[in-house]
Amino acid sequence: MRFEFFVIQAISVLLEMIVTYSYFEALLSNERNNRKYSEKTILFYLFVFIVLTAIQSAARDTRDNIFVAPISLATGIILISFIYIGEWKNKISLSILLLLIFILSELGTGMIMSMFSHKSMQGMENNLLLHFQGMFVSKMTAFIICLLYTSPSPR
């Protein structure tokens, strides 16, 4: 794998961790003391970031990448949800919702970009510029959706 694709993958996972952090902080952690490990929470996010980057970068050039990336992301999100105090059913359902937001934003962005660039999603993945643009737009879309979902409604 080329170094540029590794950097894009690392940025992608970093943006996913930022979205995950803001999502769970808004929904599961009303106060700082609602985390099991308080300040060590950031270290756990960093550990999951490193592991996900390694897994997804190693699987990028394999045929199983379509399964490895979502499964590793789902595992990471579920593990992260369990560092917060609360009911396990709530944590699992919020984790699944976040995973669906990531997957649907990725698919939606890929489809829209393939319509405008007249390339297949596979062709865009091999093009460095289109791959970076698609990754960035899909993560920002997921971030905006999470912000809209977690923001308090006006009364």
Side-chain angles (χ1 to χ4, degrees), residues 61-128:
D61 293 330
T62 65
R63 292 181 304 158
D64 299 330
N65 186 30
I66 194 164
F67 300 113
V68 171
I71 290 171
S72 63
L73 182 61
T75 305
I77 289 173
I78 290 171
L79 286 174
I80 285 172
S81 72
F82 279 96
I83 63 174
Y84 295 95
I85 298 171
E87 275 191 58
W88 67 271
K89 293 176 191 175
N90 191 23
K91 294 175 192 178
I92 297 290
S93 62
L94 288 174
S95 298
I96 291 171
L97 179 62
L98 181 60
L99 183 66
L100 285 174
I101 290 171
F102 278 133
I103 291 172
L104 292 176
S105 68
E106 187 98 16
L107 288 174
T109 301
M111 287 182 203
I112 291 171
M113 286 188 67
S114 74
M115 282 185 347
F116 287 115
S117 68
H118 303 292
K119 292 187 177 187
S120 68
M121 289 179 79
Q122 182 67 32
M124 288 189 313
E125 188 173 300
N126 293 328
N127 183 327
L128 190 63

Short mmCIF file of all heavy atoms in Angstrom, two decimals, residues 61-128:
data_model
loop_
_atom_site.label_atom_id
_atom_site.label_comp_id
_atom_site.label_asym_id
_atom_site.label_seq_id
_atom_site.Cartn_x
_atom_site.Cartn_y
_atom_site.Cartn_z
N ASP A 61 -5.92 -3.55 0.79
CA ASP A 61 -5.63 -4.17 -0.51
C ASP A 61 -6.17 -5.59 -0.65
O ASP A 61 -5.87 -6.26 -1.62
CB ASP A 61 -4.11 -4.17 -0.74
CG ASP A 61 -3.57 -2.76 -0.91
OD1 ASP A 61 -4.33 -1.89 -1.39
OD2 ASP A 61 -2.41 -2.53 -0.55
N THR A 62 -6.97 -6.03 0.30
CA THR A 62 -7.54 -7.38 0.21
C THR A 62 -8.98 -7.30 -0.26
O THR A 62 -9.62 -6.25 -0.21
CB THR A 62 -7.49 -8.09 1.59
OG1 THR A 62 -8.33 -7.39 2.49
CG2 THR A 62 -6.07 -8.14 2.12
N ARG A 63 -9.49 -8.45 -0.69
CA ARG A 63 -10.88 -8.51 -1.12
C ARG A 63 -11.84 -8.42 0.07
O ARG A 63 -12.99 -8.06 -0.09
CB ARG A 63 -11.16 -9.81 -1.87
CG ARG A 63 -10.47 -9.90 -3.21
CD ARG A 63 -10.81 -11.19 -3.89
NE ARG A 63 -10.45 -12.30 -3.00
CZ ARG A 63 -10.97 -13.51 -3.06
NH1 ARG A 63 -11.86 -13.78 -3.97
NH2 ARG A 63 -10.59 -14.46 -2.24
N ASP A 64 -11.38 -8.74 1.25
CA ASP A 64 -12.23 -8.75 2.43
C ASP A 64 -12.38 -7.39 3.07
O ASP A 64 -13.01 -7.27 4.12
CB ASP A 64 -11.67 -9.73 3.48
CG ASP A 64 -11.63 -11.15 2.96
OD1 ASP A 64 -12.49 -11.49 2.11
OD2 ASP A 64 -10.75 -11.91 3.40
N ASN A 65 -11.83 -6.34 2.46
CA ASN A 65 -11.88 -5.01 3.04
C ASN A 65 -13.31 -4.54 3.23
O ASN A 65 -13.61 -3.83 4.19
CB ASN A 65 -11.13 -4.01 2.17
CG ASN A 65 -11.03 -2.64 2.82
OD1 ASN A 65 -11.01 -2.54 4.04
ND2 ASN A 65 -11.00 -1.62 2.01
N ILE A 66 -14.22 -4.95 2.36
CA ILE A 66 -15.61 -4.51 2.47
C ILE A 66 -16.24 -5.02 3.76
O ILE A 66 -17.17 -4.44 4.28
CB ILE A 66 -16.41 -4.93 1.23
CG1 ILE A 66 -17.74 -4.19 1.19
CG2 ILE A 66 -16.62 -6.42 1.18
CD1 ILE A 66 -18.43 -4.23 -0.14
N PHE A 67 -15.72 -6.12 4.30
CA PHE A 67 -16.24 -6.66 5.55
C PHE A 67 -15.39 -6.24 6.75
O PHE A 67 -15.91 -6.04 7.84
CB PHE A 67 -16.31 -8.19 5.49
CG PHE A 67 -17.18 -8.69 4.39
CD1 PHE A 67 -16.63 -9.37 3.32
CD2 PHE A 67 -18.55 -8.48 4.42
CE1 PHE A 67 -17.44 -9.82 2.29
CE2 PHE A 67 -19.36 -8.93 3.40
CZ PHE A 67 -18.80 -9.61 2.33
N VAL A 68 -14.09 -6.15 6.56
CA VAL A 68 -13.18 -5.87 7.67
C VAL A 68 -13.39 -4.47 8.23
O VAL A 68 -13.46 -4.30 9.46
CB VAL A 68 -11.71 -6.06 7.23
CG1 VAL A 68 -10.75 -5.56 8.28
CG2 VAL A 68 -11.44 -7.52 6.91
N ALA A 69 -13.52 -3.47 7.38
CA ALA A 69 -13.65 -2.09 7.86
C ALA A 69 -14.91 -1.89 8.71
O ALA A 69 -14.81 -1.38 9.84
CB ALA A 69 -13.62 -1.13 6.68
N PRO A 70 -16.11 -2.28 8.25
CA PRO A 70 -17.28 -2.06 9.11
C PRO A 70 -17.28 -2.91 10.38
O PRO A 70 -17.70 -2.44 11.43
CB PRO A 70 -18.47 -2.45 8.23
CG PRO A 70 -17.98 -2.50 6.85
CD PRO A 70 -16.51 -2.73 6.93
N ILE A 71 -16.77 -4.14 10.29
CA ILE A 71 -16.76 -5.00 11.47
C ILE A 71 -15.77 -4.46 12.51
O ILE A 71 -16.07 -4.42 13.71
CB ILE A 71 -16.44 -6.46 11.09
CG1 ILE A 71 -17.62 -7.04 10.32
CG2 ILE A 71 -16.12 -7.30 12.31
CD1 ILE A 71 -17.36 -8.40 9.70
N SER A 72 -14.60 -4.02 12.05
CA SER A 72 -13.64 -3.47 13.01
C SER A 72 -14.14 -2.15 13.59
O SER A 72 -13.96 -1.88 14.78
CB SER A 72 -12.27 -3.28 12.36
OG SER A 72 -12.34 -2.34 11.30
N LEU A 73 -14.80 -1.34 12.77
CA LEU A 73 -15.36 -0.09 13.28
C LEU A 73 -16.47 -0.36 14.28
O LEU A 73 -16.54 0.28 15.34
CB LEU A 73 -15.88 0.77 12.12
CG LEU A 73 -16.46 2.13 12.50
CD1 LEU A 73 -15.40 2.99 13.17
CD2 LEU A 73 -17.02 2.82 11.29
N ALA A 74 -17.34 -1.32 13.98
CA ALA A 74 -18.43 -1.67 14.92
C ALA A 74 -17.87 -2.17 16.24
O ALA A 74 -18.34 -1.77 17.32
CB ALA A 74 -19.33 -2.73 14.29
N THR A 75 -16.86 -3.00 16.17
CA THR A 75 -16.23 -3.50 17.40
C THR A 75 -15.62 -2.36 18.21
O THR A 75 -15.80 -2.28 19.42
CB THR A 75 -15.15 -4.54 17.05
OG1 THR A 75 -15.74 -5.56 16.25
CG2 THR A 75 -14.55 -5.15 18.29
N GLY A 76 -14.93 -1.46 17.53
CA GLY A 76 -14.33 -0.31 18.22
C GLY A 76 -15.37 0.59 18.85
O GLY A 76 -15.22 1.03 20.00
N ILE A 77 -16.47 0.85 18.13
CA ILE A 77 -17.52 1.73 18.67
C ILE A 77 -18.19 1.08 19.88
O ILE A 77 -18.44 1.75 20.89
CB ILE A 77 -18.55 2.06 17.56
CG1 ILE A 77 -17.93 3.00 16.53
CG2 ILE A 77 -19.81 2.67 18.15
CD1 ILE A 77 -18.80 3.24 15.32
N ILE A 78 -18.47 -0.21 19.80
CA ILE A 78 -19.11 -0.89 20.92
C ILE A 78 -18.17 -0.91 22.13
O ILE A 78 -18.60 -0.67 23.27
CB ILE A 78 -19.57 -2.31 20.52
CG1 ILE A 78 -20.74 -2.20 19.55
CG2 ILE A 78 -19.94 -3.14 21.74
CD1 ILE A 78 -21.16 -3.50 18.90
N LEU A 79 -16.89 -1.18 21.90
CA LEU A 79 -15.94 -1.15 23.02
C LEU A 79 -15.86 0.24 23.65
O LEU A 79 -15.81 0.37 24.87
CB LEU A 79 -14.55 -1.58 22.54
CG LEU A 79 -14.36 -3.06 22.27
CD1 LEU A 79 -12.98 -3.32 21.67
CD2 LEU A 79 -14.56 -3.87 23.53
N ILE A 80 -15.86 1.26 22.82
CA ILE A 80 -15.81 2.62 23.35
C ILE A 80 -17.06 2.95 24.16
O ILE A 80 -16.98 3.59 25.20
CB ILE A 80 -15.62 3.64 22.20
CG1 ILE A 80 -14.17 3.59 21.69
CG2 ILE A 80 -15.97 5.05 22.63
CD1 ILE A 80 -13.91 4.40 20.46
N SER A 81 -18.21 2.48 23.71
CA SER A 81 -19.44 2.79 24.44
C SER A 81 -19.43 2.21 25.85
O SER A 81 -20.07 2.76 26.75
CB SER A 81 -20.67 2.28 23.67
OG SER A 81 -20.75 0.87 23.73
N PHE A 82 -18.69 1.14 26.05
CA PHE A 82 -18.67 0.51 27.37
C PHE A 82 -17.71 1.19 28.35
O PHE A 82 -17.60 0.75 29.49
CB PHE A 82 -18.37 -0.99 27.26
CG PHE A 82 -19.61 -1.77 26.90
CD1 PHE A 82 -19.88 -2.09 25.59
CD2 PHE A 82 -20.51 -2.13 27.88
CE1 PHE A 82 -21.03 -2.78 25.25
CE2 PHE A 82 -21.66 -2.82 27.57
CZ PHE A 82 -21.93 -3.15 26.24
N ILE A 83 -17.04 2.26 27.96
CA ILE A 83 -16.26 3.01 28.94
C ILE A 83 -17.12 4.05 29.64
O ILE A 83 -16.66 4.71 30.55
CB ILE A 83 -15.01 3.66 28.31
CG1 ILE A 83 -15.39 4.69 27.26
CG2 ILE A 83 -14.07 2.63 27.77
CD1 ILE A 83 -14.21 5.46 26.73
N TYR A 84 -18.37 4.18 29.18
CA TYR A 84 -19.31 5.09 29.83
C TYR A 84 -20.24 4.29 30.74
O TYR A 84 -20.54 3.13 30.49
CB TYR A 84 -20.13 5.85 28.78
CG TYR A 84 -19.29 6.77 27.94
CD1 TYR A 84 -18.80 6.36 26.70
CD2 TYR A 84 -18.99 8.05 28.38
CE1 TYR A 84 -18.02 7.20 25.94
CE2 TYR A 84 -18.21 8.90 27.62
CZ TYR A 84 -17.73 8.48 26.39
OH TYR A 84 -16.95 9.31 25.64
N ILE A 85 -20.71 4.95 31.78
CA ILE A 85 -21.63 4.32 32.72
C ILE A 85 -23.04 4.42 32.15
O ILE A 85 -23.45 5.48 31.68
CB ILE A 85 -21.54 5.00 34.10
CG1 ILE A 85 -20.12 4.84 34.66
CG2 ILE A 85 -22.58 4.44 35.06
CD1 ILE A 85 -19.85 5.66 35.90
N GLY A 86 -23.79 3.33 32.21
CA GLY A 86 -25.16 3.33 31.72
C GLY A 86 -25.61 1.92 31.40
O GLY A 86 -24.88 0.95 31.57
N GLU A 87 -26.85 1.81 30.92
CA GLU A 87 -27.41 0.50 30.57
C GLU A 87 -26.75 -0.03 29.30
O GLU A 87 -26.54 0.70 28.34
CB GLU A 87 -28.91 0.62 30.32
CG GLU A 87 -29.74 0.54 31.55
CD GLU A 87 -31.20 0.39 31.18
OE1 GLU A 87 -31.55 -0.57 30.48
OE2 GLU A 87 -31.97 1.25 31.61
N TRP A 88 -26.48 -1.32 29.29
CA TRP A 88 -25.81 -1.92 28.13
C TRP A 88 -26.72 -1.90 26.90
O TRP A 88 -26.23 -1.77 25.78
CB TRP A 88 -25.33 -3.34 28.45
CG TRP A 88 -26.43 -4.34 28.68
CD1 TRP A 88 -27.05 -4.63 29.86
CD2 TRP A 88 -27.04 -5.17 27.69
NE1 TRP A 88 -28.02 -5.59 29.67
CE2 TRP A 88 -28.02 -5.94 28.34
CE3 TRP A 88 -26.85 -5.33 26.32
CZ2 TRP A 88 -28.82 -6.85 27.67
CZ3 TRP A 88 -27.64 -6.24 25.66
CH2 TRP A 88 -28.62 -7.00 26.33
N LYS A 89 -28.03 -1.99 27.08
CA LYS A 89 -28.94 -1.94 25.92
C LYS A 89 -28.86 -0.58 25.24
O LYS A 89 -28.87 -0.48 24.01
CB LYS A 89 -30.38 -2.20 26.38
CG LYS A 89 -30.62 -3.59 26.88
CD LYS A 89 -32.04 -3.70 27.40
CE LYS A 89 -32.22 -4.99 28.16
NZ LYS A 89 -33.54 -5.09 28.78
N ASN A 90 -28.81 0.46 26.05
CA ASN A 90 -28.69 1.81 25.52
C ASN A 90 -27.37 1.98 24.76
O ASN A 90 -27.32 2.57 23.68
CB ASN A 90 -28.81 2.81 26.66
CG ASN A 90 -28.96 4.23 26.18
OD1 ASN A 90 -29.38 4.48 25.07
ND2 ASN A 90 -28.60 5.16 27.04
N LYS A 91 -26.29 1.46 25.32
CA LYS A 91 -24.98 1.57 24.69
C LYS A 91 -24.93 0.84 23.35
O LYS A 91 -24.42 1.37 22.36
CB LYS A 91 -23.90 1.01 25.61
CG LYS A 91 -23.71 1.79 26.88
CD LYS A 91 -22.71 1.07 27.75
CE LYS A 91 -22.67 1.63 29.14
NZ LYS A 91 -21.73 0.90 29.99
N ILE A 92 -25.49 -0.37 23.31
CA ILE A 92 -25.50 -1.15 22.06
C ILE A 92 -26.35 -0.46 21.01
O ILE A 92 -25.94 -0.33 19.84
CB ILE A 92 -26.00 -2.59 22.32
CG1 ILE A 92 -25.07 -3.34 23.26
CG2 ILE A 92 -26.19 -3.34 21.01
CD1 ILE A 92 -23.73 -3.69 22.67
N SER A 93 -27.53 0.03 21.39
CA SER A 93 -28.40 0.67 20.40
C SER A 93 -27.79 1.97 19.88
O SER A 93 -27.86 2.25 18.68
CB SER A 93 -29.79 0.91 20.98
OG SER A 93 -29.73 1.77 22.08
N LEU A 94 -27.16 2.76 20.75
CA LEU A 94 -26.50 3.97 20.28
C LEU A 94 -25.29 3.66 19.40
O LEU A 94 -25.02 4.38 18.44
CB LEU A 94 -26.07 4.83 21.48
CG LEU A 94 -27.21 5.53 22.24
CD1 LEU A 94 -26.66 6.22 23.48
CD2 LEU A 94 -27.93 6.52 21.36
N SER A 95 -24.60 2.58 19.72
CA SER A 95 -23.46 2.16 18.89
C SER A 95 -23.91 1.74 17.50
O SER A 95 -23.28 2.09 16.49
CB SER A 95 -22.72 1.01 19.56
OG SER A 95 -22.19 1.40 20.79
N ILE A 96 -25.01 0.99 17.45
CA ILE A 96 -25.54 0.55 16.15
C ILE A 96 -26.01 1.75 15.34
O ILE A 96 -25.77 1.83 14.12
CB ILE A 96 -26.66 -0.49 16.34
CG1 ILE A 96 -26.05 -1.79 16.88
CG2 ILE A 96 -27.42 -0.75 15.05
CD1 ILE A 96 -27.07 -2.82 17.32
N LEU A 97 -26.66 2.69 16.00
CA LEU A 97 -27.11 3.90 15.30
C LEU A 97 -25.92 4.68 14.74
O LEU A 97 -25.96 5.12 13.59
CB LEU A 97 -27.92 4.78 16.24
CG LEU A 97 -28.43 6.09 15.65
CD1 LEU A 97 -29.39 5.81 14.49
CD2 LEU A 97 -29.12 6.92 16.72
N LEU A 98 -24.87 4.82 15.52
CA LEU A 98 -23.68 5.53 15.03
C LEU A 98 -23.04 4.79 13.86
O LEU A 98 -22.63 5.41 12.88
CB LEU A 98 -22.67 5.72 16.16
CG LEU A 98 -21.39 6.47 15.80
CD1 LEU A 98 -21.70 7.88 15.30
CD2 LEU A 98 -20.45 6.53 16.98
N LEU A 99 -22.96 3.48 13.96
CA LEU A 99 -22.41 2.70 12.85
C LEU A 99 -23.24 2.88 11.58
O LEU A 99 -22.70 3.03 10.48
CB LEU A 99 -22.31 1.22 13.23
CG LEU A 99 -21.68 0.33 12.19
CD1 LEU A 99 -20.21 0.68 12.01
CD2 LEU A 99 -21.82 -1.12 12.57
N LEU A 100 -24.56 2.88 11.72
CA LEU A 100 -25.43 3.10 10.56
C LEU A 100 -25.22 4.49 9.97
O LEU A 100 -25.22 4.65 8.75
CB LEU A 100 -26.89 2.91 10.95
CG LEU A 100 -27.36 1.48 11.14
CD1 LEU A 100 -28.78 1.44 11.67
CD2 LEU A 100 -27.26 0.71 9.84
N ILE A 101 -25.02 5.47 10.83
CA ILE A 101 -24.74 6.82 10.33
C ILE A 101 -23.45 6.83 9.51
O ILE A 101 -23.40 7.39 8.41
CB ILE A 101 -24.68 7.83 11.50
CG1 ILE A 101 -26.06 8.04 12.09
CG2 ILE A 101 -24.08 9.16 11.04
CD1 ILE A 101 -26.07 8.84 13.38
N PHE A 102 -22.40 6.18 10.03
CA PHE A 102 -21.14 6.11 9.29
C PHE A 102 -21.30 5.40 7.95
O PHE A 102 -20.84 5.88 6.91
CB PHE A 102 -20.06 5.40 10.12
CG PHE A 102 -19.37 6.27 11.13
CD1 PHE A 102 -19.19 5.82 12.42
CD2 PHE A 102 -18.90 7.52 10.80
CE1 PHE A 102 -18.55 6.60 13.37
CE2 PHE A 102 -18.25 8.32 11.74
CZ PHE A 102 -18.09 7.86 13.02
N ILE A 103 -21.95 4.25 7.97
CA ILE A 103 -22.09 3.45 6.74
C ILE A 103 -22.94 4.18 5.71
O ILE A 103 -22.58 4.25 4.53
CB ILE A 103 -22.66 2.05 7.07
CG1 ILE A 103 -21.61 1.24 7.83
CG2 ILE A 103 -23.08 1.33 5.80
CD1 ILE A 103 -22.12 -0.08 8.36
N LEU A 104 -24.08 4.72 6.14
CA LEU A 104 -24.97 5.39 5.18
C LEU A 104 -24.35 6.68 4.64
O LEU A 104 -24.53 7.00 3.46
CB LEU A 104 -26.32 5.67 5.83
CG LEU A 104 -27.15 4.43 6.14
CD1 LEU A 104 -28.43 4.81 6.86
CD2 LEU A 104 -27.44 3.64 4.87
N SER A 105 -23.60 7.40 5.46
CA SER A 105 -22.95 8.61 4.94
C SER A 105 -21.85 8.24 3.95
O SER A 105 -21.65 8.93 2.95
CB SER A 105 -22.39 9.47 6.07
OG SER A 105 -21.33 8.83 6.71
N GLU A 106 -21.17 7.13 4.22
CA GLU A 106 -20.13 6.67 3.29
C GLU A 106 -20.74 6.24 1.95
O GLU A 106 -20.26 6.62 0.88
CB GLU A 106 -19.38 5.50 3.93
CG GLU A 106 -18.19 5.04 3.18
CD GLU A 106 -16.90 5.62 3.72
OE1 GLU A 106 -16.88 6.14 4.84
OE2 GLU A 106 -15.91 5.54 2.98
N LEU A 107 -21.80 5.46 2.02
CA LEU A 107 -22.45 5.00 0.80
C LEU A 107 -23.09 6.15 0.03
O LEU A 107 -22.98 6.22 -1.20
CB LEU A 107 -23.51 3.94 1.12
CG LEU A 107 -22.99 2.58 1.55
CD1 LEU A 107 -24.13 1.68 1.98
CD2 LEU A 107 -22.20 1.94 0.43
N GLY A 108 -23.77 7.04 0.75
CA GLY A 108 -24.41 8.17 0.08
C GLY A 108 -23.40 9.08 -0.59
O GLY A 108 -23.59 9.48 -1.74
N THR A 109 -22.32 9.36 0.10
CA THR A 109 -21.28 10.21 -0.48
C THR A 109 -20.65 9.52 -1.68
O THR A 109 -20.41 10.17 -2.71
CB THR A 109 -20.20 10.51 0.58
OG1 THR A 109 -20.81 11.16 1.68
CG2 THR A 109 -19.11 11.39 0.01
N GLY A 110 -20.38 8.23 -1.56
CA GLY A 110 -19.79 7.50 -2.68
C GLY A 110 -20.68 7.49 -3.91
O GLY A 110 -20.21 7.67 -5.04
N MET A 111 -21.98 7.29 -3.70
CA MET A 111 -22.91 7.28 -4.84
C MET A 111 -23.01 8.65 -5.49
O MET A 111 -23.01 8.76 -6.72
CB MET A 111 -24.28 6.81 -4.37
CG MET A 111 -24.34 5.35 -4.07
SD MET A 111 -26.02 4.94 -3.58
CE MET A 111 -25.72 3.48 -2.64
N ILE A 112 -23.10 9.69 -4.69
CA ILE A 112 -23.20 11.04 -5.25
C ILE A 112 -21.92 11.40 -5.99
O ILE A 112 -21.97 11.96 -7.10
CB ILE A 112 -23.52 12.07 -4.14
CG1 ILE A 112 -24.95 11.86 -3.64
CG2 ILE A 112 -23.33 13.50 -4.64
CD1 ILE A 112 -25.31 12.64 -2.42
N MET A 113 -20.77 11.07 -5.41
CA MET A 113 -19.51 11.39 -6.08
C MET A 113 -19.34 10.58 -7.36
O MET A 113 -18.78 11.07 -8.33
CB MET A 113 -18.33 11.17 -5.14
CG MET A 113 -18.23 12.25 -4.09
SD MET A 113 -16.74 12.13 -3.12
CE MET A 113 -15.51 12.51 -4.35
N SER A 114 -19.80 9.33 -7.37
CA SER A 114 -19.66 8.53 -8.59
C SER A 114 -20.57 9.06 -9.69
O SER A 114 -20.25 8.95 -10.88
CB SER A 114 -19.93 7.06 -8.31
OG SER A 114 -21.29 6.81 -8.11
N MET A 115 -21.70 9.65 -9.31
CA MET A 115 -22.57 10.25 -10.33
C MET A 115 -21.90 11.45 -10.98
O MET A 115 -21.96 11.63 -12.19
CB MET A 115 -23.91 10.69 -9.71
CG MET A 115 -24.86 9.57 -9.47
SD MET A 115 -26.51 10.03 -8.87
CE MET A 115 -26.40 11.70 -8.37
N PHE A 116 -21.24 12.28 -10.16
CA PHE A 116 -20.62 13.49 -10.69
C PHE A 116 -19.28 13.24 -11.36
O PHE A 116 -18.90 13.94 -12.28
CB PHE A 116 -20.47 14.54 -9.59
CG PHE A 116 -21.78 15.17 -9.21
CD1 PHE A 116 -22.30 14.98 -7.94
CD2 PHE A 116 -22.50 15.93 -10.11
CE1 PHE A 116 -23.51 15.55 -7.58
CE2 PHE A 116 -23.71 16.50 -9.76
CZ PHE A 116 -24.21 16.31 -8.49
N SER A 117 -18.53 12.24 -10.89
CA SER A 117 -17.21 11.99 -11.48
C SER A 117 -17.26 10.97 -12.60
O SER A 117 -16.27 10.76 -13.28
CB SER A 117 -16.24 11.50 -10.40
OG SER A 117 -16.62 10.21 -9.96
N HIS A 118 -18.40 10.33 -12.80
CA HIS A 118 -18.58 9.31 -13.84
C HIS A 118 -17.59 8.17 -13.69
O HIS A 118 -17.10 7.61 -14.66
CB HIS A 118 -18.48 9.92 -15.24
CG HIS A 118 -19.46 11.03 -15.47
ND1 HIS A 118 -20.82 10.82 -15.54
CD2 HIS A 118 -19.28 12.36 -15.61
CE1 HIS A 118 -21.43 11.96 -15.73
NE2 HIS A 118 -20.53 12.92 -15.78
N LYS A 119 -17.27 7.83 -12.43
CA LYS A 119 -16.41 6.69 -12.14
C LYS A 119 -17.13 5.78 -11.16
O LYS A 119 -18.00 6.22 -10.42
CB LYS A 119 -15.08 7.14 -11.51
CG LYS A 119 -14.19 7.89 -12.45
CD LYS A 119 -12.86 8.14 -11.81
CE LYS A 119 -11.94 8.83 -12.82
NZ LYS A 119 -10.59 8.96 -12.31
N SER A 120 -16.73 4.52 -11.16
CA SER A 120 -17.30 3.60 -10.18
C SER A 120 -16.70 3.89 -8.81
O SER A 120 -15.68 4.56 -8.69
CB SER A 120 -17.03 2.16 -10.59
OG SER A 120 -15.64 1.89 -10.48
N MET A 121 -17.32 3.34 -7.77
CA MET A 121 -16.77 3.55 -6.42
C MET A 121 -15.40 2.90 -6.31
O MET A 121 -14.54 3.40 -5.61
CB MET A 121 -17.74 3.02 -5.37
CG MET A 121 -18.99 3.88 -5.26
SD MET A 121 -20.18 3.31 -4.07
CE MET A 121 -19.45 3.87 -2.56
N GLN A 122 -15.18 1.79 -7.00
CA GLN A 122 -13.87 1.14 -6.99
C GLN A 122 -12.83 2.01 -7.70
O GLN A 122 -11.70 2.14 -7.24
CB GLN A 122 -13.95 -0.23 -7.68
CG GLN A 122 -12.65 -0.99 -7.68
CD GLN A 122 -12.24 -1.40 -6.27
OE1 GLN A 122 -13.09 -1.67 -5.44
NE2 GLN A 122 -10.95 -1.45 -6.02
N GLY A 123 -13.23 2.64 -8.79
CA GLY A 123 -12.32 3.53 -9.51
C GLY A 123 -11.97 4.76 -8.69
O GLY A 123 -10.85 5.26 -8.74
N MET A 124 -12.94 5.25 -7.92
CA MET A 124 -12.66 6.41 -7.07
C MET A 124 -11.74 6.03 -5.92
O MET A 124 -10.95 6.85 -5.46
CB MET A 124 -13.96 6.98 -6.51
CG MET A 124 -14.78 7.69 -7.54
SD MET A 124 -16.18 8.59 -6.86
CE MET A 124 -16.93 7.43 -5.77
N GLU A 125 -11.84 4.81 -5.44
CA GLU A 125 -10.99 4.39 -4.32
C GLU A 125 -9.52 4.33 -4.72
O GLU A 125 -8.65 4.54 -3.90
CB GLU A 125 -11.46 3.02 -3.82
CG GLU A 125 -10.78 2.59 -2.55
CD GLU A 125 -11.37 1.32 -1.98
OE1 GLU A 125 -12.55 1.32 -1.67
OE2 GLU A 125 -10.61 0.34 -1.87
N ASN A 126 -9.26 4.06 -5.98
CA ASN A 126 -7.87 4.00 -6.46
C ASN A 126 -7.32 5.36 -6.86
O ASN A 126 -6.13 5.50 -7.07
CB ASN A 126 -7.77 3.03 -7.63
CG ASN A 126 -8.04 1.61 -7.19
OD1 ASN A 126 -7.75 1.23 -6.07
ND2 ASN A 126 -8.65 0.83 -8.07
N ASN A 127 -8.19 6.36 -6.99
CA ASN A 127 -7.77 7.72 -7.30
C ASN A 127 -7.55 8.45 -5.98
O ASN A 127 -8.47 8.61 -5.18
CB ASN A 127 -8.85 8.41 -8.13
CG ASN A 127 -8.47 9.80 -8.57
OD1 ASN A 127 -7.76 10.52 -7.87
ND2 ASN A 127 -8.95 10.18 -9.74
N LEU A 128 -6.35 8.91 -5.74
CA LEU A 128 -5.97 9.50 -4.46
C LEU A 128 -6.83 10.71 -4.10
O LEU A 128 -7.34 10.82 -2.98
CB LEU A 128 -4.49 9.89 -4.49
CG LEU A 128 -3.86 10.30 -3.18
CD1 LEU A 128 -3.88 9.14 -2.21
CD2 LEU A 128 -2.44 10.76 -3.41
#
